[in-house]
Amino acid sequence: MHALKRFFARDHVHHEGVRPFQVWGLRLFCLLMLVFVVPEAWGVLLRHQGPWDPLHAVAFCVWATYPALAVFGLFRPLRWLPLMLFVLGYKILWLAFVAWPLWRTGTLAGSAAAPMVPAFAPLLPLALVVPWGYVVRKYVGLPRRRAGLAGAG
């Protein structure tokens, strides 16, 4: 039981106050990107013949690059956390601007966008393993509140 408790407790020694389950969750998402997205995206790039539609090509190049970078996130998940923020960001935008309007009008089912929706489903689990306090401290730059200053006024 002690190991399970440590798995969910903040680790200031090894992970800058981030819980180990979050670190391992980030690693899991990196592994899933490597296993599922890299072969698909790179397969499309390598098998494509003829001229590309430029916007389509950009999408596939981005789609091939970010999961390939996930290999670094396996070893240094906190250092590569911006990659996960990128994934969350583009998926939230796609859901908001593409899937949601189609769903709201009852036209998502059977549309060209419908097969992509399951790939965007893991947003909630990913959002749960992102250490948001760490993101704010590290990337937004807001100072941590000291316990001794809480009562000062």
Side-chain angles (χ1 to χ4, degrees), residues 103-118:
W103 180 81
R104 198 179 59 209
T105 60
T107 57
L108 178 60
S111 73
M116 295 180 66
V117 172

Side-chain angles (χ1 to χ4, degrees), residues 7 25 31 42 50-51 74 82 85 108 110 115 126 148-149:
F7 191 63
L31 179 64
W42 279 94
L74 289 173
L85 299 176
L108 178 60
L126 177 56
L149 297 177

Side-chain angles (χ1 to χ4, degrees), residues 68-141:
L69 291 171
V71 72
F72 300 114
L74 289 173
F75 303 103
R76 305 294 292 258
L78 294 178
R79 183 166 289 177
W80 286 86
L81 187 55
L83 188 63
M84 292 302 151
L85 299 176
F86 171 78
V87 171
L88 277 171
Y90 93 80
K91 288 186 177 195
I92 289 169
L93 289 173
W94 189 87
L95 288 170
F97 289 100
V98 178
W100 171 253
L102 291 171
W103 180 81
R104 198 179 59 209
T105 60
T107 57
L108 178 60
S111 73
M116 295 180 66
V117 172
F120 291 76
L123 272 181
L124 183 58
L126 177 56
L128 291 174
V129 298
V130 169
W132 294 106
Y134 177 86
V135 169
V136 170
R137 287 190 312 273
K138 199 73 165 183
Y139 301 110
V140 179

Side-chain angles (χ1 to χ4, degrees), residues 4 9 30 34 36-37 52 55 58-59 81 93 108 125 129 133 139 150:
L4 185 62
C30 287
L34 284 167
F36 292 107
V37 182
W52 279 94
L55 289 177
V58 167
L81 187 55
L93 289 173
L108 178 60
V129 298
Y139 301 110

